[in-house]
Amino acid sequence: MSSSAELSGPTAEPGNTADRPYPQGIPEATVARLPIYLRALYSLAERGVATVASDELARAAGVNSAKLRKDLSYLGSYGIRGVGYDVEYLVYQVSRALGLTQNWPVVIVGAGNLGRALANYGGFLTRGFRIEGVLDSDPALVGGKLGGVTIRHVSELEAVVTGNGIAIGVIAVPAGAAQAVCDRLVAVGVTSILNFAPLVLSVPEGVDVRKVDLSIELQILAFHAQRRFAERYGQAADQAAAEA
Amino acid sequence: MSSSAELSGPTAEPGNTADRPYPQGIPEATVARLPIYLRALYSLAERGVATVASDELARAAGVNSAKLRKDLSYLGSYGIRGVGYDVEYLVYQVSRALGLTQNWPVVIVGAGNLGRALANYGGFLTRGFRIEGVLDSDPALVGGKLGGVTIRHVSELEAVVTGNGIAIGVIAVPAGAAQAVCDRLVAVGVTSILNFAPLVLSVPEGVDVRKVDLSIELQILAFHAQRRFAERYGQAADQAAAEA
DNA sequence: TTATGTGAACTAATTCACAGCT
DNA sequence: AGCTGTGAATTAGTTCACATAA
């Protein structure tokens, strides 16, 4: 989770929040759900749905409707009582809240399986982001294409970042190389980092790191699976059950 | 996030929690951090560290020490006052809490870039899990090897799951195919699903789905990046800043 | 009617601060 | 003397339930 909990967090100067789009700040938990709503809204729009009620959108997003309405209320009053929400308009408002009406240039460091998966991942390249550079240390990969971009050598990292005004970096290199890549990104002004390497990066104050950890999620599943087995067969049986 | 908040949730029968390993239940937020602690502990163990204080382990995990101590206290009293925690012993206790002293057989559906990245990802194959099957619909991939396992055709899904007593499935197929794969996994008894496809899966009660969404994290980063720009340059400047 | 928007109540998570053990 | 373990206080997040507006 990100360090700051609010839009107008402790680093914001006091007293001038009144003319911001979202004066009270958007709770972090809400921010984390907005992308899910956005995806559900796109899916509705594609199916030609013009208006949606909170129950329906909530179901599509996998949350309850009270939570959805409260979440959306942080962005403003964009619904119509007795009717619901205009899908297209809500897409715009949620996009704007997330900063996706801009087009953020992104650099991906690491063009291995993970980097390739990212570049081809449905929705990674969508509205709001463009892959401006892909870097790798393997000479065999340099010069190849990925996501419409030519893979360049990682030694060009600084040139690629500064030359394209890149503020967001994606680290998709092995754990051993990740901290060094991170340090170099931060040194040339990248303040948002998405980390896929399985380690905790250390960064200076003011840099926002989010991590996607493929094995942590699996371990959380194992915890719940174990719990289910223990409930069903008693606490001694879970060992045997998993071996079966 | 998972549906149930506690180890002994509403589905557990009342009155027999006293002889469970963790009678009061482990908060979901704690469960989500245990894998991070575990990784930090392994890293310390590899460096030959025998004992660690909460401050140091907390720093390695990127949390504050009060939170770490409270988290560990849900598992039991495994520290030594005035000294710290025995690294090896704590590895065992955290592993046990997460259900990783067992060896869960896992099936990965989808052997594209993402499936391949998973199989090669540092730590995905580690203690607690073994890849028991990899499936894909592409005949060109079937018969090849991935993570030490031969890729089989997705039509064999049911046979692979039931034949190996698999309880955990990983969905690494495109969004369009994900729900169908999910339904088939659930139908043959898989109750834990890790979903990489960018959509909300619908599953019956009792099935635990976690999702890893590569683009949602990027969107959350964009939100914070936008906020920083707005704070620094005023709310009108952020548009121009990202275009630069 | 009907479905939003939101105070109020509730539940979960975090942090503080210090008693208690080694 | 030092670090854990944990009640108490605080803060964040969720859900309820209904006044409000189309």
Side-chain angles (χ1 to χ4, degrees):
Chain A
M1 195 151 291
S2 201
S3 51
S4 57
E6 295 280 315
L7 180 73
S8 37
T11 53
E13 332 69 311
N16 72 349
T17 56
D19 56 349
R20 296 254 191 74
Y22 318 111
Q24 273 68 47
I26 303 179
E28 192 57 36
T30 296
V31 172
R33 283 187 294 265
L34 292 179
I36 303 168
Y37 303 154
L38 190 55
R39 177 167 293 152
L41 286 166
Y42 275 129
S43 162
L44 289 167
E46 271 168 30
R47 285 191 276 134
V49 177
T51 297
V52 66
S54 63
D55 317 46
E56 204 185 333
L57 184 53
R59 190 153 23 78
V63 302
N64 76 39
S65 65
K67 190 187 277 181
L68 172 80
R69 289 201 303 278
K70 179 139 279 194
D71 282 342
L72 293 181
S73 77
Y74 292 113
L75 314 189
S77 281
Y78 300 131
I80 305 156
R81 287 167 199 244
V83 179
Y85 300 89
D86 182 88
V87 171
E88 197 183 349
Y89 184 52
L90 198 53
V91 162
Y92 170 71
Q93 291 298 345
V94 174
S95 297
R96 195 165 63 96
L98 283 169
L100 303 178
T101 49
Q102 309 173 21
N103 195 14
W104 298 93
V106 171
V107 62
I108 298 178
V109 188
N113 283 314
L114 192 50
R116 254 172 282 151
L118 279 171
N120 301 323
Y121 186 75
F124 198 76
L125 276 165
T126 48
R127 287 148 279 232
F129 305 96
R130 63 174 190 276
I131 297 179
E132 195 65 62
V134 178
L135 307 172
D136 204 285
S137 62
D138 184 351
L141 292 174
V142 172
K145 281 264 184 180
L146 185 53
V149 172
T150 302
I151 301 170
R152 299 168 69 176
H153 192 264
V154 73
S155 61
E156 300 187 63
L157 186 149
E158 286 76 9
V160 168
V161 168
T162 57
N164 296 285
I166 291 175
I168 301 179
V170 177
I171 297 179
V173 301
Q179 184 64 57
V181 166
C182 174
D183 293 345
R184 290 174 63 192
L185 288 171
V186 169
V188 287
V190 170
T191 50
S192 301
I193 291 173
L194 183 54
N195 177 35
F196 287 89
L199 85 167
V200 176
L201 292 175
S202 52
V203 292
E205 186 81 359
V207 175
D208 190 10
V209 177
R210 296 192 65 89
K211 74 166 185 309
V212 175
D213 195 305
L214 312 184
S215 62
I216 282 179
E217 300 300 323
L218 202 57
Q219 294 181 25
I220 297 171
L221 278 177
F223 172 85
H224 292 292
Q226 175 187 232
R227 178 168 58 77
R228 272 196 300 274
F229 274 109
E231 270 167 18
R232 213 169 294 166
Y233 306 111
Q235 54 174 307
D238 52 359
Q239 195 82 19
E243 310 282 347
Chain B
M1 196 149 291
S2 200
S3 50
S4 56
E6 294 282 314
L7 180 73
S8 37
T11 53
E13 333 67 310
N16 73 350
T17 56
D19 56 349
R20 296 256 191 72
Y22 318 113
Q24 272 67 46
I26 303 179
E28 192 57 37
T30 296
V31 172
R33 283 187 294 266
L34 292 179
I36 303 168
Y37 303 154
L38 190 55
R39 177 167 295 152
L41 286 166
Y42 274 129
S43 162
L44 289 166
E46 272 167 30
R47 285 191 276 133
V49 177
T51 297
V52 66
S54 63
D55 318 46
E56 204 186 334
L57 183 54
R59 191 155 21 79
V63 301
N64 76 40
S65 65
K67 190 187 276 181
L68 172 80
R69 288 200 304 277
K70 179 138 279 195
D71 283 343
L72 293 181
S73 78
Y74 292 112
L75 314 190
S77 283
Y78 299 131
I80 304 156
R81 289 166 198 241
V83 178
Y85 300 89
D86 182 89
V87 172
E88 196 183 349
Y89 184 52
L90 197 53
V91 162
Y92 171 70
Q93 291 299 344
V94 174
S95 296
R96 195 166 63 97
L98 283 169
L100 303 179
T101 49
Q102 310 173 20
N103 194 14
W104 298 93
V106 171
V107 61
I108 297 178
V109 188
N113 283 312
L114 191 50
R116 254 171 282 152
L118 278 171
N120 301 322
Y121 187 74
F124 199 74
L125 276 165
T126 49
R127 288 148 276 231
F129 305 96
R130 63 175 190 274
I131 296 179
E132 194 65 61
V134 178
L135 307 172
D136 203 286
S137 61
D138 184 351
L141 292 174
V142 171
K145 281 263 182 181
L146 185 53
V149 172
T150 302
I151 302 170
R152 299 169 69 175
H153 192 264
V154 73
S155 61
E156 299 187 63
L157 186 149
E158 287 76 9
V160 168
V161 169
T162 56
N164 296 285
I166 291 175
I168 300 179
V170 177
I171 298 179
V173 302
Q179 184 64 58
V181 166
C182 174
D183 292 346
R184 289 173 63 192
L185 288 171
V186 169
V188 287
V190 171
T191 49
S192 302
I193 291 174
L194 182 54
N195 176 35
F196 286 90
L199 86 167
V200 176
L201 292 175
S202 52
V203 292
E205 186 81 359
V207 176
D208 189 10
V209 177
R210 296 193 64 89
K211 74 167 185 308
V212 176
D213 195 306
L214 312 185
S215 62
I216 282 179
E217 301 299 325
L218 202 57
Q219 294 181 22
I220 297 171
L221 277 178
F223 172 85
H224 293 292
Q226 175 187 233
R227 179 167 58 75
R228 274 196 299 274
F229 274 108
E231 270 167 18
R232 212 169 295 166
Y233 306 112
Q235 53 174 306
D238 53 358
Q239 196 82 20
E243 310 282 350

